Amino acid sequence: TIRSNLEGLQGYDVMALELIQNADDAGAEEINFEVTEHGLSVWNSGTFSYCGSLELPECPLLESTEYPCDFHRITEVASGGKLRRADNIGRFGIGFVSTYQITDHPEITSSGLKLKLYPERAEWDLSSTEAQPGTTFYLPWATDSNSEARRKLGVSPVEHGHINKLVEDFKAVLGGSLLFLRHARTAKLHRNGELILSCTLERRDNSELVVTLQPGGDVERWRILR
């Protein structure tokens, strides 16, 4: 299922948009991307919901809200749970699949829990961790071409050139993506601690959007016509 959906989600720009949209749907106002030699870390100020029992095949929240918790949804590939909410932009279960372009075993830390996914075995591992603000997705680079996950997904390993391409694509996406979101106000991209791009969006009551880009201090002014 992952392999099938991944074919339609190729491109680092697509992956950036999916991660940004998921963060906005979670109500996050801040999104930070950090590219390192070991992987991609994505933090946003939203928080994962948890029903308290991931061992159950069906989330208990379905009975009261008709909407499973975030931890249940991310363990169910292509669940499409967000489609039940008309105000959501992204496709949580499907969109997250785009991250398998670069990683074998994504890790999600939120609400005092750490979840690690093993798609090649259809398994996951959940453990407690120190509670921190927001949600962090850590995507270690999949550099081993012979790993079981790379072979089953039919995806090539990540090389240095791919990381450079990812940085350039993410930079291009960040420059315009905030205009189409509802909650996000700030998005930043770093590489090994160095700021590559920072975008800050100010929404004004008169339908004007002001975007400030750093480094450089460029300012863009947009107006919404309804």
Side-chain angles (χ1 to χ4, degrees):
T1 302
I2 293 176
R3 182 171 182 167
S4 175
N5 284 298
L6 189 57
E7 292 177 357
L9 292 168
Q10 289 295 312
Y12 301 135
D13 53 347
V14 172
M15 181 172 64
L17 286 170
E18 294 291 350
L19 291 169
I20 291 170
Q21 290 172 353
N22 285 339
D24 190 66
D25 286 340
E29 294 187 354
E30 300 178 52
I31 308 167
N32 294 327
F33 296 92
E34 177 71 43
V35 179
T36 71
E37 298 304 316
H38 304 289
L40 171 65
S41 180
V42 185
W43 177 89
N44 71 67
S45 58
T47 303
F48 259 37
S49 60
Y50 183 46
C51 66
S53 183
L54 196 55
E55 296 288 347
L56 295 176
E58 189 171 90
C59 179
L61 294 184
L62 281 170
E63 295 183 4
S64 57
T65 66
E66 299 184 352
Y67 197 65
C69 73
D70 292 330
F71 279 100
H72 260 99
R73 287 190 295 121
I74 206 166
T75 57
E76 298 174 5
V77 176
S79 64
K82 290 172 66 171
L83 298 179
R84 297 187 180 95
R85 290 187 175 178
D87 58 341
N88 283 337
I89 300 174
R91 303 159 298 172
F92 195 42
I94 299 175
F96 185 74
V97 168
S98 64
T99 64
Y100 286 107
Q101 295 178 80
I102 63 170
T103 193
D104 287 342
H105 303 130
E107 302 173 10
I108 302 94
T109 303
S110 186
S111 302
L113 297 169
K114 180 177 180 180
L115 177 70
K116 188 170 183 177
L117 303 176
Y118 300 90
E120 72 276 19
R121 304 197 302 266
E123 296 176 358
W124 47 262
D125 179 68
L126 184 68
S127 59
S128 298
T129 186
E130 182 180 355
Q132 299 287 342
T135 297
T136 299
F137 298 85
Y138 180 59
L139 311 172
W141 304 127
T143 57
D144 182 4
S145 60
N146 293 317
S147 72
E148 185 179 1
R150 286 298 93 182
R151 288 187 283 106
K152 287 189 174 182
L153 291 172
V155 184
S156 60
V158 176
E159 300 176 352
H160 187 73
H162 296 136
I163 300 175
N164 292 336
K165 173 64 172 171
L166 181 145
V167 171
E168 290 303 314
D169 285 356
F170 273 47
K171 181 179 178 180
V173 166
L174 288 186
S177 61
L178 295 186
L179 296 171
F180 304 97
L181 304 178
R182 289 179 300 274
H183 306 289
R185 296 182 297 104
T186 303
K188 296 180 181 180
L189 172 65
H190 291 82
R191 183 169 189 177
N192 295 322
E194 178 184 355
L195 178 65
I196 303 298
L197 182 66
S198 172
C199 304
T200 302
L201 175 65
E202 179 185 357
R203 298 180 176 90
R204 298 182 177 177
D205 294 337
N206 60 356
S207 298
E208 185 181 15
L209 302 176
V210 180
V211 180
T212 303
L213 306 174
Q214 300 289 353
D218 294 337
V219 176
E220 299 178 354
R221 299 183 183 276
W222 297 77
R223 185 171 299 278
I224 301 175
L225 303 180
R226 301 184 184 277

